Amino acid sequence: MTQPDSPVRVDYVATCQLPTQWGVFDMHGFEEVGGREHVVLTLGEVTDGAPLTRIHSECLTGDALFSLRCDCGFQLAAALEAIAAEGRGVLVYLRQEGRGIGLINKIRAYKLQDGGADTVEANERLGFPADMRDFRIAREMLAHLGVTAVRIMTNNPRKIDTLQQAGIEVAERVALQVGRNAYNDHYLDTKKAKLGHLFGL
């Protein structure tokens, strides 16, 4: 995972309520120095212990357009449902589309995948690393909300390592394996084989 030498600074902007099908969350807005905007959804008391937490990178195609090419939208919905069932938790939504390459390059990568490349090969053929996301930017947002330890919903061990290196205690990994289908089978298998994602545990 390619990351800058130091984490990007993010500033808190405002908080409002966000009613959803799973319940009424508090939505906290943050802005990077440099432009990107991120949000954190919280439910209930999150400063005590290690709340159930999902750090989710933006996926317009999966989250909003219901694509079956990935498992992102399924993971987002499952995470919010799990937080609601527990009565408290955190969802950090980071604006780093396409594992950091952006929406238009993601479409170009999808075109290469249509021609037979896997998700890692497609990014690399476009001149990008396999994964450009920087999960360390979540640290300042979590710190602002008083969250210092998490039970993280993820299949990505690199995300856990990055959070721990940034000073966030990961008390537990909670598997989030949802949404496998005929269109994303190869994508999920590639994430396991080439990116080390933890499936089947």
Side-chain angles (χ1 to χ4, degrees):
M1 182 182 302
T2 300
Q3 295 180 339
D5 292 335
S6 58
V8 175
R9 177 183 160 191
V10 290
D11 294 323
Y12 169 73
V13 179
T15 296
C16 69
Q17 288 193 326
L18 183 72
T20 74
Q21 69 186 75
W22 300 281
V24 180
F25 290 77
D26 288 326
M27 182 166 67
H28 314 272
F30 294 84
E31 188 172 48
E32 273 188 33
V33 173
R36 289 188 302 182
E37 298 167 332
H38 310 281
V39 298
V40 180
L41 302 185
T42 59
L43 182 69
E45 174 55 58
V46 298
T47 60
D48 182 30
L52 193 60
T53 300
R54 167 73 179 165
I55 297 179
H56 188 91
S57 294
E58 176 183 34
C59 176
L60 178 71
T61 49
D63 298 342
L65 300 178
F66 314 108
S67 170
L68 297 178
R69 297 186 72 133
C70 64
D71 56 342
C72 302
F74 298 103
Q75 287 186 319
L76 179 62
L80 290 170
E81 183 176 11
I83 289 169
E86 191 148 306
R88 74 183 196 115
V90 181
L91 186 133
V92 179
Y93 196 91
L94 301 177
R95 305 292 300 280
Q96 38 190 16
E97 178 77 49
R99 293 205 298 275
I101 68 175
L103 180 59
I104 298 303
N105 281 321
K106 179 180 178 179
I107 295 171
R108 294 187 177 112
Y110 276 170
K111 179 65 175 177
L112 291 172
Q113 290 173 46
D114 289 342
D118 66 36
T119 182
V120 170
E121 292 166 346
N123 276 26
E124 291 175 343
R125 288 184 193 178
L126 291 173
F128 300 107
D131 194 340
M132 294 177 62
R133 294 173 296 177
D134 184 358
F135 299 112
R136 296 174 302 169
I137 61 178
R139 184 188 64 81
E140 289 185 52
M141 292 179 268
L142 291 171
H144 174 83
L145 298 169
V147 178
T148 58
V150 296
R151 293 165 50 230
I152 190 74
M153 289 183 279
T154 187
N155 305 318
N156 185 352
R158 295 181 183 180
K159 185 182 293 185
I160 296 171
D161 292 342
T162 302
L163 293 176
Q164 290 175 328
Q165 291 167 13
I168 298 169
E169 178 188 345
V170 178
E172 180 187 359
R173 181 185 80 87
V174 179
L176 194 60
Q177 299 174 18
V178 291
R180 182 179 282 269
N181 61 76
Y183 295 98
N184 67 19
D185 250 338
H186 184 52
Y187 164 80
L188 295 177
D189 290 342
T190 299
K191 289 207 296 185
K192 179 179 180 179
K194 293 190 174 182
L195 298 175
H197 285 217
L198 304 170
F199 295 114
L201 297 180

